[in-house]
Every structure is written in structure tokens, then in C-alpha cells.
Amino acid sequence: MSMPAPPRLLDLAGQSLLRDQASAIAALERLPMELFPPLFTAAFTGRHSETLKAMVQAWPFACLPLGALMKEQQPHQETFQAALAGLDVLLAQEVRPRRWKLQVLDLRKNAHQDFWTVWSGTRASMYSLLDPEVPQPMKKRRKVEGCRPGPKPPLAPVEVLIDLCLKERTPDESLAYLIQIAQQRKGMMHLCCKKLKIFAMPMQNIKKILRIIQLDSIQDLEVNCTWKLSTLGKFAPHLGQMGNLRRLLLSHIHMSSHTTLAKEEQCISQFTAQFLRLHHLEELYLDSISFLENRLDQVLRCLMTPLETLSITNCLLSESDLTHLSQHLNVSQLKDLGLSGVSLTNMSPEPLQVLIERASATLQDLDLDECGIMDSQFTVILPALGHCSQLTTFSFCGNPISMDVLENLLRHTIGLRKLSHVLYPAPLESYEDVRGTLHLGRLAHLHARLKQMLQELGRPGMVWFSANPCPRCGPQLCSPDSPMVLPQPLCPE
């Protein structure tokens, strides 16, 4: 039986120092910088709030990755607020401490993951990664008579990096405290938020938080709220200030029956106009947006850059919308295209065929689930699918497709060497009646036929998933020696 490793001398020294709060704080002025991370970790774990507060003020590196430590330690509220209080005291000082190098307080839990483990004793040069300052050789200054030193340059603000998820009616205690400091130290502290998710919070409270965030720091925005169109109109001006936004997800925007048509158009114009200011937008996700029908062109016209991802799901679109989409310049470089839940049953297939053809050189992921595409429509888009040389994943569940069309699809796409996963619906021939009752024996036979075709055409490794798992056995995972997911054949008829 192996014996536990004895505590290291460094750990014992840290524990001893922390027992005497006054001595620990006094020692920070002379403490070697390599000892700060292990001592900070010990103070954080042991909830030594006053020592933590002092250590933040004396932190000798450019970045303090507190979020990564919080992920490991699950901090007590008081401990976290002590660290913030240390920053607050630091910012309040007119003359900054001699050793002050802190430029960034990183509260993101997925950043600098290895900093604290590295400093636990395995390596000893990690601080160079978090200190961008490179020592410059001293230059001899020439004495110029009559020159007096000019005014000192203003102190650079400290950046606080955080990912926010607003899902309560009011901010929690820690966020409220951070907001309070940001308001009090405005100009000395920049609150930067790369990822912002809004789930449920009154617009009044959202606006209060947005006022103290550096909006141009936001790169990823998700708005998963059930908002009226008028609420989106109130939010729109803030969206336009997010000049570095790269990913936008917007869902569940509905129109009120009490709103006049003129007011609707005003709100929609106010929203779409903001895209003119988003020069770095690459990914756009629109889900359950009630105002898109016959207005998609209004959104597309305002896009300033080609998109890599466009997902329009569970929305009503007209044929003219799809035509505008297929003709728009900003779709020619799409990598991911999703139209799941958009009914295409009564539309001409030509606009979709043109859209796929225009994106064929770059398209990697195509999702046409639950679009109500019929055999005749699917047949029209097959040649365009066969040109998608970069396609890796294709999903078209929930469409009434026959076995003949499935076999035709397989023949058209067998030459796409990067296509590895196809998720398809149970073919029409596998149903017993119009109520959608599956005949398991028929389904097993049709699955086996597709698998045989893959082997005969030299692509046994291409994975075809059925979207209708067996109700008795449930879904099964594919394995290397079973490239198709065939849950149904395992059941008796």
C-alpha cells in the first residue's frame, strides 16, 4: 500500500505564514514573485479574506486568473468578494504600489486553465505567459537644460474579464458587488465581457448592466428570451455598440396583436439597422423569430460581412425570402447552413438548390430537418448536394422521403470524401399507414439495403443514422465494424 506524499516545504511554509495574518500581509512586500501563486491558492482555499485582499493589491504579475481558481475551488461568497475588495482598494489609491503590475483580473472559469496547477510545483516559468512586459535595456538619458518633467501620464485602467449569464430577475450578490465597484471606479476599471447570455431578466436591469460593460468587448451574444418586438427595439441600440460581435443568437421574438403596423416596421428597422455596425459578424442564429416572413431581405441587406454560419430555425419564411437568401452575396462562403423547422413544402425547390450550389465550395454542415421536403423537391437539390466537396454532416430528418430518393441521394454523395455522417428519416415505405405507424420488418430491410449499397460503392465507413430509433431497443451507437446505426433490425418483427 503506497504512502501519501509528505507535504512539501513550500506548502508548510505557506500554511505557517497564513496562521499569522499580520505577518503574512507584511511579508508581501518582500515575497519572491514565484511564491505568490501557491500562497494565494492556500489563502483562497483557507478563506483568509484579509490576506487575499492584500495579495490582490500586491500581485506581481500582469494577469490574475481568479476565474480558473474559482472553477477548481468553488469559492465562498465572502472569499470572492474579498478579492474584489482588494482590487477596489488598489484602484482607489492615487499612488500605486511600487510592485504593482496587475493589468487584468480574469474571472472567466475557462481561461488560463493550467496556471494554478503549474505553480503547484511542477514548472516555474509560467509567470512569463501572464506578464507581457519584456525588460528593456536601460538607456542613458541625456541631460537637456531647461526641460522639466511633464505631467505623469494617466494610469491605465485595469481590465476585468468576465463571461455573464443573466438568468435571474436581479443580479446575484457577487455580480451586484462587481457592478458596484465598476460604477464607483468608472474610468479606472473596464468591465469586459467576451460572452454574454441573456435568459430572463427585466429590460431595466439588463440596461443597467450593459451601461457598465465595455460593449465593444462582447464577441458572443445569446438572447434566449421570450421578448415582444417592442422589447427587441429597446435592446437594439445596445446591440449596435457591440462592434466586435462575431456570434449572435436570437430566439423567441413575437409580435403583439396590439402593435400597429407602423410601430412594427419602426422596431424592425431599428433592429436590422444595427447590423450595419457589426463589421465582424460571422455566425447568425435566428430561432422562432415571428417577423422574418417577407422581411428576411431587410436583414440580409444590412449584413456587412460574409457569414460562416447561418441558422434560421422554426421561422415562417416565404418563397421570396428564400429567393433573396439564395441570391445574397453574404452566403457564398457559408460553412454551416441550418433551416430546421422552416416549412418548404409549398415552395419551389429552385431557390434552395441555388443556395446550396452557391455555398457548395465551403459548406460543411447542412441541416434541413423538419422542412417538409417532398420527393420531387429533394430530387431537384440532389445535383447541388453532390457538388458540396467540403460537406461533412448532412441531416434531413422529418421529411417524407421515399427509399428511391434515399438511394439516389447515396449515389449522388458517395463521391464526397469528407462526408462522414448522414442523418435521415425512415423512408415512406417503412410505414404501415397514414398515421405514421412504423413496420419494423420493412424498416430493417430498407436499412440493410442502404448498408449494402455503402459497401458495394466502397464507402463502408460513411455513417448513416436513422432518425427513428426502435421503440423497444432505443437508439444505439455506431461502431467501427457497424458503420450504420441500425437499431431496428435487432428487434423481431
Side-chain angles (χ1 to χ4, degrees):
M1 188 173 179
S2 60
M3 297 291 292
R8 298 177 303 151
L9 184 60
L10 179 64
D11 298 327
L12 293 173
Q15 293 170 12
S16 175
L17 188 60
L18 288 173
R19 289 192 191 102
D20 186 344
Q21 177 179 296
S23 298
I25 294 175
L28 296 178
E29 181 67 23
R30 302 178 302 278
L31 192 70
M33 63 189 307
E34 306 87 64
L35 300 184
F36 265 81
L39 185 63
F40 190 95
T41 302
F44 196 83
T45 305
R47 299 182 182 178
H48 298 277
S49 297
E50 290 302 317
T51 304
L52 268 180
K53 188 175 175 181
M55 290 196 75
V56 170
Q57 298 172 55
W59 191 250
F61 306 113
C63 177
L64 172 53
L66 186 58
L69 188 60
M70 290 162 59
K71 183 176 182 179
E72 295 179 6
Q73 302 288 344
Q74 293 298 316
H76 189 267
Q77 194 93 336
E78 183 182 343
T79 311
F80 174 63
Q81 292 188 11
L84 292 182
L87 176 63
D88 186 36
V89 172
L90 192 64
L91 295 174
Q93 298 179 23
E94 293 185 6
V95 179
R96 294 185 172 179
R98 178 180 59 86
R99 293 184 64 176
W100 184 2
K101 286 189 177 180
L102 184 62
Q103 299 171 19
V104 177
L105 174 62
D106 198 336
L107 301 179
R108 299 172 299 170
K109 294 186 178 181
N110 294 319
H112 306 297
Q113 288 291 302
D114 57 350
F115 175 77
W116 302 102
T117 53
V118 166
W119 277 109
S120 63
T122 54
R123 284 172 282 170
S125 61
M126 183 66 183
Y127 68 89
S128 62
L129 298 179
L130 296 182
D131 190 348
E133 295 181 2
V134 179
Q136 301 293 329
M138 295 293 292
K139 293 182 179 179
K140 209 169 185 180
R141 294 183 180 178
R142 291 182 299 170
K143 188 174 181 181
V144 181
E145 292 187 16
C147 287
R148 296 182 180 179
K152 291 183 179 179
L155 299 174
V158 172
E159 288 190 352
V160 178
L161 308 183
I162 188 171
D163 291 334
L164 286 177
C165 182
L166 308 180
K167 56 184 178 181
E168 307 292 342
R169 291 192 61 81
T170 56
D172 61 33
E173 189 176 341
S174 296
L175 179 56
Y177 186 53
L178 178 61
I179 291 172
Q180 178 185 335
I181 295 175
Q183 289 173 332
Q184 292 174 345
R185 308 299 174 197
K186 194 173 183 180
M188 292 179 284
M189 182 182 111
H190 285 174
L191 188 58
C192 301
C193 176
K194 186 177 180 179
K195 294 181 180 180
L196 174 61
K197 296 181 180 181
I198 304 174
F199 285 98
M201 182 175 279
M203 180 55 64
Q204 182 180 359
N205 292 343
I206 293 173
K207 284 187 172 183
K208 287 180 181 178
I209 294 174
L210 293 180
R211 286 192 196 105
I212 55 103
I213 293 176
Q214 302 293 310
L215 293 180
D216 61 354
S217 69
I218 299 175
Q219 298 181 24
D220 189 333
L221 174 65
E222 291 188 13
V223 181
N224 281 292
C225 300
T226 304
W227 278 355
K228 294 179 181 179
L229 182 57
S230 57
T231 307
L232 179 63
K234 295 175 184 176
F235 180 78
H238 299 286
L239 175 64
Q241 296 178 56
M242 302 177 189
N244 289 306
L245 195 67
R246 283 164 170 75
R247 179 179 180 271
L248 172 61
L249 184 152
L250 185 66
S251 70
H252 294 89
I253 306 299
H254 62 92
M255 294 187 288
S256 172
S257 58
H258 305 294
T259 307
T260 64
L261 182 60
K263 183 64 176 177
E264 280 182 8
E265 293 299 333
Q266 180 185 347
C267 292
I268 293 170
S269 297
Q270 189 173 15
F271 167 68
T272 57
Q274 307 309 316
F275 286 100
L276 295 169
R277 305 175 68 183
L278 305 182
H279 294 269
H280 302 283
L281 190 66
E282 298 172 346
E283 301 178 36
L284 179 59
Y285 300 82
L286 301 173
D287 177 63
S288 302
I289 308 297
S290 63
F291 63 81
L292 277 187
E293 188 175 14
N294 294 317
R295 293 190 179 100
L296 183 59
D297 184 48
Q298 189 174 342
V299 176
L300 296 174
R301 285 199 312 266
C302 296
L303 293 175
M304 301 304 294
T305 54
L307 295 174
E308 292 187 1
T309 297
L310 177 61
S311 175
I312 302 174
T313 56
N314 304 308
C315 297
L316 285 175
L317 295 183
S318 65
E319 189 169 323
S320 65
D321 288 326
L322 203 59
T323 300
H324 286 305
L325 179 59
S326 67
Q327 296 172 348
H328 203 273
L329 292 174
N330 286 332
V331 300
S332 59
Q333 298 178 30
L334 281 176
K335 294 181 179 179
D336 297 330
L337 173 63
L339 294 173
S340 175
V342 175
S343 178
L344 304 176
T345 305
N346 298 317
M347 295 188 194
S348 167
E350 275 75 18
L352 180 59
Q353 181 245 334
V354 171
L355 175 59
I356 295 173
E357 188 72 57
R358 290 196 60 212
S360 60
T362 56
L363 196 61
Q364 299 175 9
D365 193 335
L366 177 60
D367 183 353
L368 298 177
D369 288 349
E370 305 290 343
C371 290
I373 301 176
M374 314 292 284
D375 273 2
S376 58
Q377 296 169 305
F378 208 87
T379 301
V380 173
I381 70 171
L382 283 179
L385 285 172
H387 295 156
C388 295
S389 58
Q390 304 301 312
L391 196 65
T392 60
T393 305
F394 176 39
S395 179
F396 60 107
C397 305
N399 295 292
I401 302 299
S402 69
M403 186 63 183
D404 285 344
V405 171
L406 280 180
E407 291 181 358
N408 206 2
L409 169 67
L410 196 152
R411 294 189 188 94
H412 272 84
T413 57
I414 202 71
L416 302 180
R417 308 313 298 179
K418 294 187 178 182
L419 182 60
S420 58
H421 292 80
V422 177
L423 187 57
Y424 65 98
L428 291 174
E429 292 85 347
S430 59
Y431 291 97
E432 292 184 0
D433 50 46
V434 293
R435 293 175 297 179
T437 306
L438 279 173
H439 188 289
L440 299 180
R442 294 179 196 168
L443 191 55
H445 173 74
L446 296 174
H447 283 324
R449 170 65 184 145
L450 288 173
K451 182 175 182 180
Q452 181 185 357
M453 288 183 65
L454 283 171
Q455 292 172 336
E456 291 173 352
L457 294 170
R459 294 293 303 274
M462 186 188 290
V463 181
W464 279 52
F465 292 89
S466 170
N468 299 86
C470 174
R472 299 180 188 178
C473 301
Q476 293 185 350
L477 297 174
C478 73
S479 59
D481 54 339
S482 179
M484 286 183 73
V485 176
L486 302 175
Q488 290 81 356
L490 299 178
C491 297
E493 294 188 26

